[in-house]
Amino acid sequence: MYQVPDQHGKLAVVTGANSGTGKEAAKRLAGAGAHVLLAVRTPAKGEQARDEILAAHPGARTEVRRLDLADLTSVREFTDGLAADGRPLDLLLNNAGVMNVPQRTETADGFELQLGSNFLGPFALTVQLLPLLLAAPAPRVATMSSGTANRARIDFDDLQSSRNYSPTRAYAQSKLADMMMMIHLAELATQHDWPLLSAGAHPGYTRTNLMTSGPTLNGGRPGLLESLLYKIVPSQGPEQGAEPLLYAATSPDATAGGYYGPRWAMVGPTKTIAPPRSAQDKTIAARLWTEAERLTGAFIPARRR
């Protein structure tokens, strides 16, 4: 099992920290001494997760704060709250997401739900937190992608899946977008000489409620093939599934733009993974970043350019 290095004195934000890989990452960071903010859509569930963390680590420093990545107003309220605290942010773990929503659904801002929750919300969160991140001595942003991103492409002509919606295709596109955001942020850090390290991860096939919460949204049901695959494909628990993200966030061996996942694709200890060729297209990544700025209204502060 990956041992998280000492994190005393560091402030970390983990999105989707009420369950699955997010809760496990928050637990392990708190156990290593970090002050962890559990950024969750439903505070009551966050408090339950916090109780579990404190039961395992009675001296842990944890807080629950509300964050709905499908609502840019909520993202702004969250980042404004952190800015008002005035404390540098050492770690941002973009973990939360939604998967395979059966019918096209929109966020509070009119975005396709998977693109909005998995990419545009985390994009706005990351950009708006940059001033706090860059105030820390060695900040990191670790972003969770997915193996499904390998077979995706960014469709700028139908980015919101308005004309042709497929649950799996929309999910895969959103996770490819996450990977491209991670790589482009690493390049921006180099260009601007920021001390920030941006790295990414995928969890393989990890048993979490991500597999069921999206497909059952709005009364949907997982398809027969999907349900069968859940039972026969090799899988692992959140303890192992969170490790690639924790490695990206804390390992001294993680590199800028590095991508990490299970050794055997679906399961296993963490190893370095080569991002798919589609994620390495710098022209598309820059265009996607610009489009995300336009859609979210989140821009890198002028003083940081």
Side-chain angles (χ1 to χ4, degrees):
M1 180 175 285
Y2 173 68
Q3 297 297 315
V4 176
D6 181 75
Q7 300 295 303
H8 282 87
K10 293 187 177 182
L11 177 65
V13 167
V14 181
T15 68
N18 60 286
S19 66
T21 55
K23 182 170 70 174
E24 179 65 20
K27 179 181 178 181
R28 305 256 288 268
L29 288 170
H35 181 171
V36 183
L37 301 187
L38 284 68
V40 299
R41 186 176 59 184
T42 307
K45 293 181 179 179
E47 292 293 347
Q48 291 177 355
R50 180 174 182 268
D51 288 344
E52 291 181 36
I53 293 171
L54 290 175
H57 305 289
R61 299 182 65 199
T62 58
E63 295 179 43
V64 175
R65 297 201 186 187
R66 185 178 184 277
L67 171 64
D68 184 354
L69 290 165
D71 184 346
L72 293 179
T73 297
S74 176
V75 174
R76 173 57 72 181
E77 290 172 349
F78 179 86
T79 59
D80 283 351
L82 284 186
D85 292 345
R87 180 176 173 183
L89 177 62
D90 299 278
L91 305 174
L92 170 60
L93 278 66
N94 287 317
N95 164 81
V98 62
M99 177 182 178
N100 294 354
V101 178
Q103 296 180 349
R104 187 182 183 280
T105 306
E106 293 189 349
T107 70
D109 304 285
F111 305 138
E112 186 277 313
L113 181 60
Q114 295 185 89
L115 186 76
S117 298
N118 298 347
F119 169 58
L120 292 173
F123 174 88
L125 177 71
T126 301
V127 171
Q128 289 167 194
L129 287 177
L130 271 176
L132 294 181
L133 285 161
L134 296 177
R140 291 198 190 191
V141 177
T143 300
M144 187 75 94
S145 183
S146 166
T148 62
N150 291 15
R151 59 178 184 268
R153 70 181 184 89
I154 304 299
D155 185 359
F156 288 106
D157 292 329
D158 192 21
L159 193 62
Q160 304 288 345
S161 303
S162 300
R163 296 197 299 269
N164 184 17
Y165 180 74
S166 159
T168 54
R169 188 166 58 244
Y171 177 71
Q173 176 184 242
S174 72
K175 301 313 283 185
L176 174 60
D178 281 337
M179 201 186 307
M180 299 184 88
M181 175 183 75
M182 176 275 290
I183 294 173
H184 193 67
L185 180 59
E187 294 213 353
L188 287 174
T190 298
Q191 292 170 16
H192 295 286
D193 197 28
W194 294 339
L196 181 143
L197 187 149
S198 172
H202 81 82
Y205 191 1
T206 298
R207 297 184 299 274
T208 71
N209 63 9
L210 181 71
M211 302 296 179
T212 56
S213 60
T216 57
L217 199 65
N218 299 330
R221 296 178 61 186
L224 182 61
L225 177 60
E226 198 173 25
S227 299
L228 181 62
L229 288 175
Y230 288 165
K231 297 178 181 178
I232 64 175
V233 173
S235 63
Q236 60 191 8
E239 297 80 9
Q240 188 72 59
E243 291 201 349
L245 188 66
L246 283 167
Y247 187 95
T250 66
S251 173
D253 297 323
T255 59
Y259 186 50
Y260 307 97
R263 182 178 299 278
W264 298 291
M266 294 292 189
V267 298
T270 299
K271 74 168 187 175
T272 301
I273 305 293
R277 185 176 301 176
S278 56
Q280 301 180 52
D281 189 316
K282 295 182 179 181
T283 300
I284 291 180
R287 181 181 175 187
L288 180 64
W289 186 281
T290 299
E291 181 66 4
E293 288 180 325
R294 184 187 71 82
L295 290 169
T296 65
F299 297 87
I300 295 173
R303 63 188 178 86
R304 294 290 185 185
R305 287 187 182 274

